Amino acid sequence: MKHLLKLKFTKFLLKNYNLNIEKYKHVFTLLFVPIAVARIQKTIIEVFLTNEFLLNKKSLNIAVIERDFPCGAMALASLQDMFANINAILEKENQIKIPKINLNIFRDNNIWTYNEKLHSGETVKDENYFNQNVFDIIIDNSVLRRSNIYKETTYQHHRNQTIIIRSSHYNDTKLGKARRVYCAKLLKYKKLVDKQDDGSYTTIADIKNPINYFIQNIFRKKEFRDGQLPIISRALQQKPVIGLLPTGGGKSLTFQLPVFLQPGLCLVVDPIKSLMEDQVRVLKENWIDCCDFINSTLKREEKAKKLIDFRYGETMFLFISPERFVMKDFRKIIKTIDVSRYGLAFSYCVIDEVHCVSEWGHDFRTTYLMLGKNTQLFSAVKDSTFDERNRQLDNETIKRVSLIGLTATASFDVLTDIERELNINSEDVSDAVISIDNTIRPELFFL
């Protein structure tokens, strides 16, 4: 037994046990409060999704029991802020109606409260108040406690109505048990920019702060680069768009943000293996891990696993080569992705390096032929018609997936081919093609 006490691991445990909480409380707060806030927000959204009647109430009484770190007030305040900003850019019929929220904070102990200001001005109530009132939602939250270890002795009066959140020390890796993307009818967004007579764009005043909220909170960027917002504006309105931005101009963001703001999956067709791998790597480095790629560098088993994850809605962005879109098995998967019990559907299909569709382009790829039409033909969208007898592209009753074509540059001949491939009406071309200076370059002529 004595030799166990001398082990390096035992000494490590002893050091943690004797750690001075007061000395490191600010560090723990910085690390764990954001996790606690995110968990509460996700829980409340899940409650709204499964109990829609709550949204019809004039007000909601929500109680948050803080077993360790203060987080309830910040979670509710930032969640309401998010709803306010998304409503500001949504058309009126799609705006989310949230009842007035009466928040009640209950603290199990004061050990982990680094600063009372973290309660954002909310008064912490006692157990007597808690037991004498009725609440619509009760969240018992702890970042540090494990499930089924502690026997909670407080707040027993509402025990059967409480949602308990504890640290996750077990990861269920069984098929279909991972996080899943929720899909629904696509939302209708307002126009974000106005086009000027000289071809430039200005952000609509009432839209600027709300849309900047999302780029700051999701991507940690201060503002949009030139040309990004006009592309995003058309994409959010579910209109086909050709975005011409120079290399390094931020083309990826122009489809990533709309995908986050529409409840659906996204296919990204990319002809370059290293480029798709790089995009997935950058997303994951920015804590966006609902993405993956499939290309020829993977083994058969790896490809099969990633396709299964996609079919179960565990991947929001799937990067694929144009060659995969001509495979019957893959077409069948994306065509029937909505028939599972998870109700999945696509919101966008992105064609990167879209100049490859044109025989006039130097990078022409035969597998890009009919790519735009095939994506619309096979990608399942909410409320689309799946009657094979009527499933034709010229049938206007069919809801088509929104297409986004991106490239660094294109000549006028190449653009004409792209417009035809993305099924853009001639009268809409002037608005559908969005570019900034130096993206449409002069033709070269050889004598």
Side-chain angles (χ1 to χ4, degrees):
M1 191 68 177
K2 289 183 178 179
H3 76 280
L4 292 175
L5 298 175
K6 296 179 181 179
L7 292 176
K8 185 177 180 180
F9 178 69
T10 307
K11 292 179 180 179
F12 177 77
L13 293 177
L14 183 63
K15 181 180 178 182
N16 280 346
Y17 181 80
N18 293 323
L19 192 67
N20 185 334
I21 292 176
E22 288 297 327
K23 183 178 179 180
Y24 296 100
K25 191 185 293 186
H26 65 292
V27 178
F28 286 117
T29 298
L30 186 62
L31 288 173
F32 292 122
V33 166
I35 295 174
V37 166
R39 286 180 174 180
I40 290 175
Q41 291 177 339
K42 185 177 187 298
T43 300
I44 291 174
I45 291 173
E46 291 277 358
V47 171
F48 286 157
L49 287 171
T50 55
N51 301 273
E52 291 186 38
F53 69 92
L54 292 174
L55 296 175
N56 295 324
K57 290 194 168 190
K58 291 184 178 180
S59 63
L60 287 176
N61 292 321
I62 298 179
V64 178
I65 304 171
E66 297 174 345
R67 298 290 179 181
D68 35 53
F69 297 98
C71 53
M74 286 183 286
L76 266 296
S78 58
L79 187 63
Q80 289 176 299
D81 193 26
M82 183 193 72
F83 284 135
N85 280 287
I86 199 167
N87 278 339
I89 58 177
L90 281 171
E91 293 287 0
K92 189 173 182 179
E93 63 266 30
N94 278 162
Q95 290 178 359
I96 306 165
K97 297 178 182 178
I98 301 297
K100 179 180 181 296
I101 293 177
N102 302 314
L103 178 62
N104 298 273
I105 301 294
F106 303 93
R107 184 165 51 200
D108 189 41
N109 61 66
N110 198 32
I111 296 175
W112 294 102
T113 304
Y114 174 66
N115 193 317
E116 291 292 339
K117 291 182 179 179
L118 294 174
H119 285 116
S120 303
E122 293 287 340
T123 302
V124 178
K125 309 292 197 315
D126 57 23
E127 186 173 352
N128 184 51
Y129 179 92
F130 181 82
N131 289 329
Q132 291 178 1
N133 286 273
V134 177
F135 304 97
D136 298 293
I137 304 172
I138 303 172
I139 299 175
D140 185 342
N141 180 75
S142 174
V143 176
L144 301 177
R145 295 187 182 187
R146 296 192 182 194
S147 299
N148 302 318
I149 299 295
Y150 290 84
K151 184 177 181 181
E152 315 294 3
T153 59
T154 56
Y155 314 117
Q156 293 296 312
H157 184 69
H158 298 285
R159 193 63 177 173
N160 294 332
Q161 305 155 352
T162 303
I163 302 169
I164 299 175
I165 306 175
R166 294 292 180 265
S167 290
S168 178
H169 295 274
Y170 169 69
N171 184 24
D172 191 344
T173 58
K174 292 196 292 291
L175 195 63
K177 292 294 184 181
R179 177 188 55 198
R180 183 167 295 104
V181 178
Y182 287 117
C183 299
K185 293 180 181 179
L186 300 182
L187 300 170
K188 296 181 180 179
Y189 282 88
K190 299 175 182 177
K191 185 173 68 170
L192 308 181
V193 297
D194 282 324
K195 189 174 183 179
Q196 306 302 305
D197 293 338
D198 61 358
S200 63
Y201 298 88
T202 57
T203 307
I204 296 174
D206 294 341
I207 295 295
K208 185 173 183 179
N209 287 336
I211 194 63
N212 281 349
Y213 168 90
F214 292 100
I215 194 177
Q216 292 163 4
N217 280 268
I218 299 174
F219 299 99
R220 300 295 185 265
K221 296 183 182 296
K222 291 183 179 180
E223 56 188 13
F224 292 95
R225 296 182 185 178
D226 287 345
Q228 286 183 325
L229 199 54
I231 298 173
I232 292 169
S233 179
R234 274 196 61 100
L236 283 177
Q237 294 176 80
Q238 303 166 46
K239 298 177 181 179
V241 57
I242 302 171
L244 289 90
L245 293 177
T247 302
K251 290 190 291 292
S252 297
L253 183 66
T254 62
F255 73 83
Q256 290 168 0
L257 184 58
V259 173
F260 279 119
L261 294 177
Q262 288 285 12
L265 308 176
C266 177
L267 286 172
V268 185
V269 181
D270 201 317
I272 306 172
K273 289 182 285 189
S274 59
L275 186 57
M276 68 169 74
E277 292 171 14
D278 187 58
Q279 290 204 60
V280 170
R281 177 187 58 80
V282 171
L283 281 168
K284 291 185 175 181
E285 286 178 354
N286 285 277
W287 301 87
I288 299 171
D289 59 358
C290 54
C291 56
D292 217 329
F293 67 88
I294 298 177
N295 61 29
S296 59
T297 64
L298 302 173
K299 296 179 180 178
R300 177 185 289 183
E301 295 79 10
E302 292 176 306
K303 294 177 185 176
K305 172 65 168 59
K306 293 188 178 189
L307 277 174
I308 290 172
D309 290 344
F310 187 62
R311 291 187 70 178
Y312 274 91
E314 296 171 10
T315 303
M316 194 176 203
F317 299 89
L318 183 64
F319 293 78
I320 59 171
S321 63
E323 287 75 16
R324 186 154 298 277
F325 228 103
V326 300
M327 299 178 184
K328 289 184 178 179
D329 288 346
F330 182 74
R331 286 179 171 183
K332 184 177 180 181
I333 288 172
I334 62 174
K335 185 177 180 180
T336 60
I337 201 164
D338 68 323
V339 300
S340 72
R341 60 192 177 96
Y342 304 117
L344 302 175
F346 292 97
S347 56
Y348 295 100
C349 184
V350 179
I351 304 176
D352 203 2
E353 307 298 334
V354 73
H355 62 271
C356 294
V357 308
S358 175
E359 295 181 68
W360 295 99
H362 64 284
D363 286 332
F364 171 61
R365 295 274 288 267
T366 55
T367 48
Y368 265 74
L369 289 173
M370 296 291 291
L371 184 57
K373 293 179 180 177
N374 282 333
T375 57
Q376 293 186 319
L377 183 62
F378 293 102
S379 302
V381 181
K382 283 289 184 184
D383 300 326
S384 60
T385 303
F386 279 87
D387 185 344
E388 292 297 334
R389 293 168 299 177
N390 297 322
R391 193 167 177 75
Q392 302 295 326
L393 281 180
D394 57 357
N395 186 340
E396 293 301 326
T397 64
I398 293 177
K399 177 66 178 176
R400 303 170 181 172
V401 68
S402 298
L403 295 180
I404 303 174
L406 300 171
T407 185
T409 183
S411 67
F412 289 105
D413 287 334
V414 170
L415 271 177
T416 301
D417 280 354
I418 297 172
E419 292 156 12
R420 183 172 58 250
E421 187 62 30
L422 269 60
N423 200 33
I424 297 173
N425 297 326
S426 57
E427 63 271 15
D428 193 33
V429 168
S430 61
D431 292 325
V433 178
I434 295 171
S435 65
I436 58 175
D437 293 342
N438 300 321
T439 52
I440 300 180
R441 300 171 186 171
E443 301 280 7
L444 293 177
F445 293 94
F446 298 91
L447 300 177

